[in-house]
Amino acid sequence: MAWLGRGLTGYNRDRYMKTMLAAFALVLIPAAAQDNSPLLKLVQTIPLVKAEGRIDHLAVDVKRARLYVTASGSDTVEVVDLKQGAVARSLTGFSKPKGALSPAGSNRVFVADGGGTLRILDAEGLNLISSVDLSGVPGALLYDAAARRIYAGFGDSLAVIDAATGRKLGEVKLPGQPEGFEAEKSGARIFVNLPGTNEIAVVDRAKLAVSSKIAVTWAQENYPMALDEAGHRLLVGARKPGKVLVLDTASSEWVTEVAVSDDIGGVLYDARRKRVYAVCGTAKTQGFAGQIYVMDQMDPNHYKIRDQVVTAPGARTGLLAPELNRLYVAAPKKGDQSAKILVYQTQ
């Protein structure tokens, strides 16, 4: 590079050299490193005026632009109008509702009620159509679009419901109470977190039986999970200590882990961006404030934390809506903090 600045002397040559070196640095730095735009941008805050205490699960109805919030602490389901950015209705008559589901292409809303029933509502008027009696404490709900089935965690079982008729088709007995679970779209397996036994149950949904169990050996209290089916990876959130654990679903071997807060409530996988969001109610670096750990999936075995977004105390319930480029996080009422939904744009 001796030819740079030829013919210049003194101050002018020094200034010229600094300018040229800066230009070369810009060329050599990867484009991604120059992009300082936030990976999550807070675009809206929606008050949940009537929500008290615990908030469990969220469900989105893309067609009707609604978000369903199971506010178990106030025995209500809050119906949020996403276009207006406000609660449109507060549905009563529930007893500690735990899970909600609004399947795409369906005219039904399913709510797992703490009284031991699965409530089926008409999606237009939100009137009760029918109920399915199920025993035990309710949990999460999952929709199988190919088979048009609802999987509902209740007690120590996984109940199977026909989404069209509301009829119970059967159930899978489990070694413990199910928490987060995910189903393959191109395979027959359902992966179920069992924090009570520190295992993952692998369910054969064709046979409606547990085919195997995988020990969670690197941490305890495995609650949320997400599935990267294309990459054959299961992402499991554990609380003791706080980690996101990565399982190879082909070999059933653990491959890596990423340390996060020990109050993790949600693990969400963005397949288009190859990104993972770990939603935690508290953060290691922010005291009692909640935090979202934003990770890039470098490859199926390597994950890098790119950002840590501060939310609100206790905000560990999250839902990713890739069709809307939105991540919804529920913050419960805490002290002077009113309950609210934080709406982030994913980018």
Side-chain angles (χ1 to χ4, degrees):
M1 295 177 61
W3 51 270
L4 284 174
R6 183 177 296 167
L8 298 176
T9 59
Y11 171 82
N12 289 333
R13 178 168 180 157
D14 290 342
R15 186 175 182 183
Y16 178 84
M17 290 291 291
K18 289 178 181 179
T19 302
M20 292 301 295
L21 288 172
F24 270 103
L26 287 174
V27 172
L28 293 173
I29 294 175
Q34 298 177 45
D35 185 4
N36 294 319
S37 60
L39 303 178
L40 286 177
K41 180 181 179 182
L42 182 64
V43 294
Q44 197 175 33
T45 299
I46 303 173
L48 300 174
V49 179
K50 296 183 179 180
E52 300 280 346
R54 182 184 175 96
I55 295 175
D56 275 281
H57 292 88
L58 308 175
V60 67
D61 182 339
V62 175
K63 177 182 177 181
R64 297 172 183 83
R66 289 178 186 162
L67 185 72
Y68 299 99
V69 183
T70 54
S72 60
S74 56
D75 296 328
T76 62
V77 175
E78 303 298 307
V79 184
V80 176
D81 184 323
L82 294 175
K83 291 182 179 178
Q84 298 297 321
V87 174
R89 292 180 62 178
S90 184
L91 304 181
T92 59
F94 296 96
S95 174
K96 293 180 171 46
K98 295 289 185 180
L101 191 64
S102 180
S106 170
N107 291 317
R108 300 287 185 266
V109 178
F110 300 85
V111 179
D113 188 63
T117 60
L118 180 67
R119 305 283 186 90
I120 305 175
L121 312 178
D122 166 49
E124 292 298 334
L126 297 175
N127 300 307
L128 181 67
I129 297 174
S130 63
S131 296
V132 182
D133 290 330
L134 299 168
S135 60
V137 178
L141 302 175
L142 183 69
Y143 182 55
D144 180 346
R148 299 192 67 188
R149 290 179 172 183
I150 304 292
Y151 295 98
F154 273 83
D156 60 354
S157 301
L158 200 63
V160 186
I161 313 297
D162 186 303
T165 66
R167 185 170 61 91
K168 182 180 175 181
L169 302 176
E171 64 181 71
V172 182
K173 288 295 184 181
L174 299 166
Q177 183 172 327
E179 288 295 337
F181 49 92
E182 293 287 341
E184 293 176 323
K185 293 180 180 178
S186 59
R189 294 180 297 178
I190 303 175
F191 301 95
V192 186
N193 263 335
L194 303 174
T197 59
N198 226 57
E199 296 173 311
I200 294 171
V202 182
V203 173
D204 185 323
R205 61 186 179 200
K207 298 178 180 178
L208 293 185
V210 175
S211 59
S212 64
K213 292 182 291 183
I214 302 168
V216 181
T217 55
W218 291 359
Q220 296 178 326
E221 298 186 8
N222 48 307
Y223 282 88
M225 70 163 56
L227 179 62
D228 167 19
E229 188 170 358
H232 306 287
R233 294 295 181 268
L234 188 68
L235 309 161
V236 178
R239 295 178 182 170
K240 189 186 285 187
K243 294 180 181 181
V244 174
L245 310 173
V246 183
L247 179 80
D248 183 332
T249 58
S251 66
S252 297
E253 297 290 335
W254 297 101
V255 295
T256 193
E257 61 183 39
V258 181
V260 296
S261 166
D262 59 5
D263 192 25
I264 184 169
V267 179
L268 312 168
Y269 181 65
D270 188 335
R272 183 162 67 89
R273 294 180 175 84
K274 301 292 184 184
R275 190 165 290 157
V276 181
Y277 305 100
V279 184
C280 302
T282 59
K284 291 180 177 179
T285 58
Q286 298 292 334
F288 292 105
Q291 188 163 310
I292 305 169
Y293 292 78
V294 185
M295 310 174 201
D296 276 350
Q297 183 186 52
M298 314 306 288
D299 61 57
N301 290 345
H302 297 90
Y303 300 76
K304 179 181 179 182
I305 294 177
R306 286 276 308 279
D307 201 359
Q308 293 171 246
V309 179
V310 176
T311 56
R316 69 181 189 185
T317 299
L319 174 71
L320 180 66
E323 311 94 327
L324 304 175
N325 290 320
R326 292 292 185 270
L327 171 60
Y328 301 101
V329 176
K333 184 175 181 179
K334 291 271 189 183
D336 295 335
Q337 170 188 283
S338 299
K340 57 191 173 183
I341 297 292
L342 302 173
V343 184
Y344 294 91
Q345 178 179 325
T346 56
Q347 44 193 18

